[in-house]
């Protein structure tokens, strides 16, 4: 039996206006609809903040990157702020190569992201 890694997305609201989505596992073509659905389910409004906690993310392919960029754009369109937190060094390096660190707000920890968005 072959093990197929999955993805878990957990909404961890910190307040009525601060949403944290904790993502763990592999974010790829097969699992990205779970993150997309979680982002779509958020009722973001002007002044809100979204932090996507990627500290337990093991893998991210181009589809996953597209979902993260789309989440950032969705937050901006709603008048909310968005940030990523906890990228593993290899994933952070890939984001830097793609210049996504210039587009997306990236922080070492969720707490750092929350402080920056406050």
């Amino acid at each position: 039996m072959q093990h197929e890694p999955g993805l878990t997305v957990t909404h961890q609201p910190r307040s009525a206006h601060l949403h944290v989505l904790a993502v763990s596992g592999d974010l790829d073509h097969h699992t990205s609809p779970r993150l997309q659905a979680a982002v779509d389910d958020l009722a973001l409004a002007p002044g809100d903040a979204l932090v996507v906690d990627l500290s337990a993310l093991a893998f991210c392919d181009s589809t996953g990157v597209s979902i993260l960029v789309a989440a950032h754009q969705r937050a901006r369109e709603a008048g909310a702020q968005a940030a990523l937190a906890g990228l593993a060094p290899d994933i952070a390096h890939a984001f830097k190569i793609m210049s996504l660190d210039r587009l997306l707000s990236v922080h070492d920890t969720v707490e750092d992201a929350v402080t920056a968005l406050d």
Side-chain angles (χ1 to χ4, degrees):
M1 177 181 248
Q2 187 178 23
H3 171 71
E4 185 170 321
L7 182 80
T8 302
V9 181
T10 307
H11 183 211
Q12 301 171 338
R14 296 279 185 104
S15 71
H17 302 286
L18 175 59
H19 305 275
V20 176
L21 290 179
V23 179
S24 64
D26 294 342
L27 180 56
D28 59 25
H29 173 75
H30 299 290
T31 62
S32 63
R34 291 181 207 148
L35 179 56
Q36 184 66 58
V39 171
D40 290 346
D41 286 347
L42 293 176
L44 295 173
D48 285 357
L50 168 63
V51 176
V52 182
D53 178 7
L54 302 173
S55 59
L57 187 67
F59 174 81
C60 183
D61 73 2
S62 61
T63 306
V65 170
S66 296
I67 297 298
L68 293 170
V69 170
H72 169 79
Q73 291 172 331
R74 182 175 178 278
R76 287 191 59 166
E77 289 169 0
Q81 298 180 69
L84 303 179
L87 288 172
D90 57 336
I91 296 173
H93 181 70
F95 274 48
K96 186 171 184 148
I97 290 171
M98 294 182 282
S99 296
L100 290 174
D101 59 331
R102 294 181 181 177
L103 171 68
L104 306 171
S105 178
V106 179
H107 303 275
D108 291 337
T109 67
V110 170
E111 293 311 316
D112 290 346
V114 168
T115 299
L117 296 176
D118 207 6

